[in-house]
Amino acid sequence: EISLGLVGSEMCIRDRHQVDSGIERSILDVFSMLLEQQQASQTLDKQMRTVQSWINAHLEQPLSIDKLARLACLSSTQFKKRFKASFSKTAQQYITELRMEKAKALLAHTDLPVQLVAEKVGYGDLSAFSRRFSLYVGMSPRSFSQGK
């Protein structure tokens, strides 16, 4: 039996026998990110909502600032300023955060090999993915996957 509840501002997941802190942290991270996105999308203009939706739907593809700026019908400079003002982070930081959270979820909840996870989150180069994941999470993708 699993119970889910809020304690203060923290969400807690408890199993009668054991709490898996890795899964709990992943769920909390995704939940927090979804809340941020929901709050941000309520105040975003149409151009930024369009870009946000497109990024979310195409994480596995290369996402350049020029491509995103064209999608928003803005110059690259205007796009970077508007994106940062809308999301309080750069487009690259936003994309990296989404990719790493998706990678964490795939590694924690599937048996996909690390190479395939890397590809599913937009990294064709396994070593680049591993370096970025290690910086973001604090451990290698393989170690994270084995700790599930």
Side-chain angles (χ1 to χ4, degrees):
E1 177 178 308
I2 295 176
S3 64
L4 178 67
L6 288 175
V7 177
S9 63
E10 294 279 322
M11 179 182 280
C12 296
I13 300 169
R14 291 198 169 73
D15 183 323
R16 273 192 302 176
H17 306 287
Q18 181 179 355
V19 175
D20 184 325
S21 61
I23 292 175
E24 181 178 24
R25 183 82 254 148
S26 291
I27 290 171
L28 288 172
D29 290 345
V30 170
F31 182 69
S32 296
M33 199 166 63
L34 288 171
L35 281 176
E36 286 175 22
Q37 286 178 2
Q38 182 183 28
Q39 291 164 352
S41 69
Q42 292 171 356
T43 60
L44 294 178
D45 61 47
K46 185 178 180 195
Q47 288 168 305
M48 291 299 108
R49 273 197 313 273
T50 298
V51 169
Q52 181 185 37
S53 295
W54 202 87
I55 290 170
N56 290 336
H58 297 89
L59 274 180
E60 74 286 351
Q61 298 176 9
L63 300 171
S64 71
I65 296 298
D66 289 338
K67 183 181 230 175
L68 298 173
R70 283 192 304 275
L71 185 64
C73 301
L74 297 168
S75 72
S76 292
T77 302
Q78 289 173 321
F79 172 76
K80 287 189 248 184
K81 287 179 184 176
R82 291 267 299 278
F83 194 95
K84 178 100 181 207
S86 297
F87 294 95
S88 303
K89 58 185 83 174
T90 68
Q92 198 57 53
Q93 289 168 330
Y94 179 81
I95 291 166
T96 298
E97 187 175 295
L98 288 178
R99 285 177 167 164
M100 293 301 106
E101 290 302 323
K102 182 175 180 179
K104 282 172 54 179
L106 289 170
L107 290 167
H109 304 294
T110 71
D111 290 329
L112 293 174
V114 174
Q115 176 69 47
L116 190 54
V117 170
E119 291 169 10
K120 287 186 171 292
V121 297
Y123 286 84
D125 180 353
L126 180 59
S127 69
F129 168 73
S130 293
R131 281 191 306 274
R132 179 67 61 153
F133 188 91
S134 294
L135 284 171
Y136 186 83
V137 177
M139 66 175 68
S140 73
R142 202 164 315 286
S143 295
F144 184 86
S145 178
Q146 291 169 349
K148 59 182 169 183

